Amino acid sequence: MAALEAGSPGGDDCLEEDEDELEPGLDEAEAEAEPEPESGAKAAGGARGAVLTRRGITLRVLLRDGLLEPARGVLSIYYLGKKFVGDLGADGTITWQETGQVFNSPSAWATHCKRLVNPAKKSGCGWASVRYKGQKLDQYKAAWLRKHQPNAPAAEESLASEGEEDELPEEEEEEAAAGKEGRAPEPAAAKKPEERSKKQQCKSLAEQPAAEHGPPGKRPENKPRVPVRYCTLGTRDSARNPQTLVEVTSFAAINKFQPFNVAISSNVLLLLDFHSHLTRSEVVGYLGGRWDTNTQLLTVLRAFPCRTRLGDAESAAAVEEEICQSLFLRGLSLVGWYHSHPFGPALPSLHDIDAQMDYQLKLQGSGNGFQPCLALICGPYYHGNPGAESRIAPFWVMPPPEQRPNDYGIPMDVEVAYIQDGFLTNDVLQEMTLLVEFYKGAPDLVKFQELWSQDQTYLDKLKGSLAARTPKDQSFTHILEQIYSLLKHSS
């Protein structure tokens, strides 16, 4: 992950990093033993008063004196377009709701979260980054000082930590942007780390419903979307259409190495390509596989189509639960997701970029080490594709540069090794049959008897695309023909 991002600017470190961590000589008990204001807080001036100002005010002190109250979801961090939510415990600890991890200080939590987004981040600037009910914690610290050390110098009273000047505008702008665009996802309910199984890991990603893409048939298929280059986007703009397509960037173009290797089974491509061909609306599904930390290889072994309508949150939960169960029973991990752009190019939209960044964070946040999350886009009926074969494009999102925190994430082109399977599994054939049954009679079902081009029907187009992804063993051909026959009758 070190190759992902250049080092942070030199002024990035916060001099007033975590008070209770950086001053081991002053523990919590010593801080709490400070005299009450009427018994001589003014006498705490001089060197000892300065130490208390900078090191002795902890969350436990603020809780003890009633400036803060323990509660769920009252702490938050906004960083590079991402939102993190935490619970404040009565003992001054912070529990990150996404994973149930417990942190002893604002700095420890902020540093952990920010490094998930930007591995090159050196510090968390916790007291300026973490908010309690929308207000930065250093403002509560300043309020404590005004009450207990009214004669403290103004410079100390403000408690704007040295080195945080670059951080403050970023946090404020991110919160404003999150409020305008509504793109910061609500995290999952808190879970203890030991409760995070593969099934629950899947659920943490699946909780972001595919419905974000809008209801079926809403996007006009005949209106072309012209892709833009990433370098032309600049800072986030809430007025910009979230469906704007963005060209992907190669790692070589920015002198970086791809941080992980990817291998994808041909059966995965066949099933998601088949799914994408069935309807004129967008479809979505999940990817199961394995991540090898030793070889840094992500192997995608199984596609799990979501047999649900975009926008139908009620049925989506049941479908995603079924997929999570299938992953768990097969001993697979959730390693990514796919969706289609039925009549457009296989390029990510601004919305896709934000969704993928959220998914990357969810998978990374579920364990101690880095785990990649892969996104695939299929463009089945885009006339710009050469020949009948659909373009299936893998991408991954790199965080924007640290000095430009309000830019969009950078969609990166991922190099992939494709592995041809020896045979078509019963799982894949069953999924294809279930998909045909699910879309049967739907108003947006593709009419496979109609012409796709001058000399090809939509069914010919589908067959031509799948032919490039079929296994070596051709004994299943008659079964595929039965599925194609079902398609003709259902449409």
Side-chain angles (χ1 to χ4, degrees):
M1 289 296 287
L4 296 185
E5 194 63 40
S8 302
D12 187 47
D13 290 308
C14 298
L15 298 186
E16 189 179 310
E17 241 342 63
D18 188 25
E19 285 79 356
D20 46 63
E21 287 184 352
L22 290 190
E23 189 71 278
L26 179 69
D27 61 15
E28 200 66 61
E30 187 178 353
E32 293 185 7
E34 281 302 307
E36 292 301 316
E38 56 270 15
S39 63
K42 294 180 182 179
R48 184 67 185 89
V51 170
L52 175 60
T53 298
R54 294 188 51 78
R55 309 296 186 198
I57 306 173
T58 61
L59 289 179
R60 285 182 64 182
V61 170
L62 298 180
L63 284 162
R64 180 199 65 189
D65 291 346
L67 274 77
L68 307 179
E69 294 180 356
R72 285 177 52 82
V74 291
L75 300 178
S76 60
I77 297 172
Y78 294 91
Y79 181 64
L80 295 180
K82 304 303 156 193
K83 181 182 179 183
F84 304 86
V85 176
D87 305 333
L88 177 59
D91 58 353
T93 59
I94 299 170
T95 303
W96 182 21
Q97 288 193 346
E98 180 60 36
T99 63
Q101 289 169 276
V102 178
F103 298 88
N104 291 323
S105 66
S107 175
W109 183 44
T111 301
H112 178 82
C113 292
K114 291 183 179 184
R115 283 178 180 167
L116 289 177
V117 183
N118 175 19
K121 185 70 176 170
K122 295 177 183 177
S123 63
C125 299
W127 286 84
S129 300
V130 179
R131 297 169 185 264
Y132 173 81
K133 296 183 178 180
Q135 298 295 320
K136 293 178 183 176
L137 283 177
D138 58 7
Q139 295 177 5
Y140 290 92
K141 189 189 291 187
W144 190 97
L145 280 172
R146 283 193 294 270
K147 178 180 178 182
H148 292 275
Q149 293 188 346
N151 294 335
E156 289 286 352
E157 192 174 346
S158 69
L159 276 173
S161 301
E162 293 89 336
E164 291 183 0
E165 290 79 3
D166 294 336
E167 196 86 30
L168 300 182
E170 162 202 315
E171 304 296 342
E172 289 163 358
E173 289 170 20
E174 285 302 326
E175 183 179 55
K180 286 179 185 175
E181 300 180 28
R183 53 186 170 71
E186 287 302 316
K191 296 183 180 71
K192 294 181 181 178
E194 59 267 22
E195 294 174 356
R196 304 286 296 185
S197 65
K198 285 175 183 165
K199 179 179 175 183
Q200 290 165 320
Q201 181 195 56
C202 166
K203 191 63 180 169
S204 72
L205 176 55
E207 280 166 354
Q208 296 282 339
E212 291 168 334
H213 291 284
K218 193 155 188 176
R219 181 180 302 152
E221 66 186 55
N222 296 324
K223 185 178 179 182
R225 293 188 287 167
V226 180
V228 301
R229 296 180 65 187
Y230 176 81
C231 61
T232 66
L233 290 175
T235 304
R236 285 179 177 275
D237 181 359
S238 58
R240 185 178 280 118
N241 184 355
Q243 300 302 336
T244 301
L245 297 178
V246 183
E247 295 179 3
V248 293
T249 302
S250 70
F251 284 95
I254 58 173
N255 297 316
K256 302 281 187 185
F257 292 104
Q258 187 171 304
F260 53 89
N261 301 311
V262 181
I264 301 182
S265 149
S266 62
N267 279 345
V268 170
L269 301 179
L270 183 141
L271 182 54
L272 76 85
D273 195 18
F274 179 77
H275 187 196
S276 301
H277 272 89
L278 297 184
T279 169
R280 308 174 89 86
S281 304
E282 288 191 11
V283 301
V284 72
Y286 295 103
L287 304 173
R290 295 190 177 92
W291 167 242
D292 189 326
T293 55
N294 295 322
T295 60
Q296 297 289 287
L297 174 63
L298 184 74
T299 308
V300 185
L301 299 169
R302 182 82 158 78
F304 294 89
C306 288
R307 294 189 300 277
T308 183
R309 286 301 189 172
L310 302 184
D312 185 359
E314 195 171 311
S315 64
V319 169
E320 289 164 348
E321 179 64 28
E322 181 185 335
I323 291 173
C324 290
Q325 186 68 27
S326 296
L327 277 166
F328 182 70
L329 292 175
R330 288 168 173 78
L332 299 176
S333 297
L334 187 66
V335 296
W337 65 300
Y338 72 85
H339 73 285
S340 67
H341 290 173
F343 294 88
L347 291 171
S349 66
L350 293 176
H351 172 85
D352 297 336
I353 292 169
D354 281 346
Q356 169 63 9
M357 191 71 210
D358 289 335
Y359 293 167
Q360 289 174 198
L361 280 174
K362 281 188 174 291
L363 282 190
Q364 257 178 264
S366 63
N368 294 326
F370 168 74
Q371 179 185 331
C373 173
L374 185 70
L376 297 177
I377 302 177
C378 181
Y381 295 119
Y382 178 53
H383 282 282
N385 293 334
E389 185 178 347
S390 303
R391 173 161 165 72
I392 299 176
F395 80 99
W396 183 81
V397 175
M398 179 182 289
E402 181 91 6
Q403 62 271 25
R404 297 183 60 84
N406 294 311
D407 284 6
Y408 294 92
I410 309 169
M412 305 301 298
D413 184 27
V414 176
E415 292 186 7
V416 171
Y418 296 103
I419 304 168
Q420 187 178 22
D421 285 294
F423 57 93
L424 203 60
T425 64
N426 288 330
D427 276 354
V428 172
L429 292 169
Q430 183 183 19
E431 281 288 354
M432 293 173 77
T433 305
L434 291 171
L435 285 168
V436 173
E437 185 63 28
F438 177 77
Y439 290 104
K440 184 178 180 179
D444 54 350
L445 178 68
V446 170
K447 294 180 172 58
F448 287 98
Q449 308 96 318
E450 294 184 355
L451 286 177
W452 148 250
S453 62
Q454 289 182 347
D455 56 352
Q456 276 189 323
T457 64
Y458 278 90
L459 185 58
D460 294 330
K461 160 70 177 73
L462 169 62
K463 290 180 177 180
S465 187
L466 296 191
R469 316 192 195 284
T470 53
K472 299 171 185 176
D473 180 3
Q474 298 294 309
S475 62
F476 61 87
T477 305
H478 69 286
I479 303 177
L480 274 184
E481 287 299 329
Q482 292 176 13
I483 293 174
Y484 295 149
S485 177
L486 288 173
L487 268 183
K488 288 174 68 175
H489 289 97
S490 64
S491 61

